[in-house]
Amino acid sequence: FMIPSLFSFLIIVNEILKEKEYKQRLYLNVLGVGNFIYYFCWFITSLIYSLLTSLILILSGICFQFGFFQDTNFLILLIFMTTFTLSMQLLGIFLCSLVPNQNAGKSIAYGFILISGVIELFTSNIYIIYQFYIDILPPWFIIIRYILDLYPPFNYTKIFGMISTKS
């Protein structure tokens, strides 16, 4: 259920980097559009993408009678899916401000998607995620946990597992 959110992440990164490559932002600065308005417009665009992606995913899950979607409150699912998609897109906007060109940005975006798939593969069982939060852990493992806590797909997997055990 993470693929549509990652796909919208890729779309946002691609579009912002295309604007950067064509220097459209410089033209907007010449016309008087400031940085705040520029990023605010991308935030609104990301919010609309997030809501649409989440609604389509939730309604598809209900139509195909997946137990996770039928047994969980619609509002909880909407907030959960929308915040994850929005956080991935905001991460994409942040990454776009760091990369120099479109090819490097696409490579980094695909790397993030690959890492998301690997994290989902290894932590798809909620009991594995619980092992990250036991009291007795080596210091290097605690550092890995803090790094993973900053990465939205890890939190998505953690919350998805918690919701699915409750519903």
Side-chain angles (χ1 to χ4, degrees):
F1 302 117
M2 192 167 44
I3 300 298
S5 301
L6 296 176
F7 185 68
S8 62
F9 162 75
L10 197 59
I11 289 172
I12 289 290
V13 167
N14 189 28
E15 291 301 317
I16 292 175
L17 288 175
K18 194 183 304 179
E19 279 188 6
K20 190 174 190 177
E21 192 110 344
Y22 294 142
K23 300 189 185 323
Q24 290 177 346
R25 187 167 166 211
L26 294 176
Y27 295 130
L28 291 173
N29 283 340
V30 168
L31 294 174
V33 177
N35 289 334
F36 175 77
I37 297 298
Y38 176 78
Y39 286 114
F40 185 71
C41 289
W42 274 111
F43 174 76
I44 296 298
T45 305
S46 296
L47 186 62
I48 292 169
Y49 276 169
S50 300
L51 282 170
L52 286 175
T53 303
S54 301
L55 281 172
I56 291 170
L57 182 66
I58 292 167
L59 293 176
S60 298
I62 292 171
C63 287
F64 290 113
Q65 298 178 354
F66 289 128
F68 176 76
F69 293 101
Q70 289 183 329
D71 298 338
T72 308
N73 187 356
F74 181 81
L75 186 61
I76 290 173
L77 285 174
L78 184 65
I79 291 171
F80 167 58
M81 298 287 185
T82 304
T83 53
F84 170 66
T85 307
L86 187 63
S87 67
M88 282 302 293
Q89 290 177 358
L90 292 178
L91 178 65
I93 292 171
F94 173 70
L95 287 175
C96 288
S97 65
L98 299 177
V99 296
N101 58 20
Q102 195 169 5
N103 290 335
K106 284 183 180 179
S107 299
I108 291 172
Y110 284 126
F112 269 85
I113 289 174
L114 180 65
I115 291 170
S116 301
V118 170
I119 288 174
E120 181 73 23
L121 180 69
F122 286 117
T123 59
S124 60
N125 188 348
I126 190 66
Y127 300 110
I128 293 174
I129 294 177
Y130 288 156
Q131 297 301 317
F132 280 90
Y133 294 97
I134 60 175
D135 292 333
I136 304 169
L137 287 174
W140 63 271
F141 204 76
I142 293 172
I143 292 171
I144 291 174
R145 183 182 70 200
Y146 286 138
I147 292 170
L148 286 174
D149 278 338
L150 295 174
Y151 191 53
F154 178 73
N155 292 320
Y156 172 83
T157 304
K158 182 172 55 174
I159 295 169
F160 186 86
M162 290 177 185
I163 290 173
S164 64
T165 56
K166 293 288 182 184
S167 61

